[in-house]
Amino acid sequence: QPRATSGNLGQPRAGDLLLMDAGGSFGGYSADITRTWPLSGTFTPEQRDVYSAVLSVNEACIAAAKGDGGTSIASLHHLSLRLTHEVGSSSSGSSSEQLLASPS
């Protein structure tokens, strides 16, 4: 469960993840970056499954964006949704599927 809400960070617990999301804009250009680390230094098996699944979707979208140079943002978004669904479906019944399907 996320605990970083409106100034309520709480105390870190064993198994927690640290999520950093930073962004900015300048001159009409906006960008952001998100990173996640296990506070213990090691992902649990379930966390590693989800991290690996999200990374594979990210890498596929980057490859698609570099492809022909004509891929739209909307197409990349739909690709990411489809791939995330496929990854979740291929791990049916696992905690990875539940985490990938959870809206944040």
Side-chain angles (χ1 to χ4, degrees), residues 11-76:
Q11 291 297 313
R13 297 182 304 235
D16 280 354
L17 297 171
L18 171 66
L19 183 135
M20 180 198 69
D21 191 27
S25 60
F26 180 77
Y29 175 77
S30 297
D32 72 54
I33 187 169
T34 304
R35 293 292 183 262
T36 306
W37 299 276
L39 289 178
S40 68
T42 306
F43 287 112
T44 66
E46 294 83 10
Q47 291 168 342
R48 172 136 338 263
D49 288 347
V50 172
Y51 184 90
S52 295
V54 171
L55 180 60
S56 69
V57 171
N58 178 262
E59 290 172 341
C61 290
I62 290 170
K66 289 181 177 179
D68 62 9
T71 305
S72 70
I73 295 296
S75 295
L76 291 172

Side-chain angles (χ1 to χ4, degrees), residues 68-86:
D68 62 9
T71 305
S72 70
I73 295 296
S75 295
L76 291 172
H77 175 69
H78 291 294
L79 174 63
S80 72
L81 294 176
R82 181 177 59 79
L83 293 175
T84 300
H85 177 75
E86 289 173 6

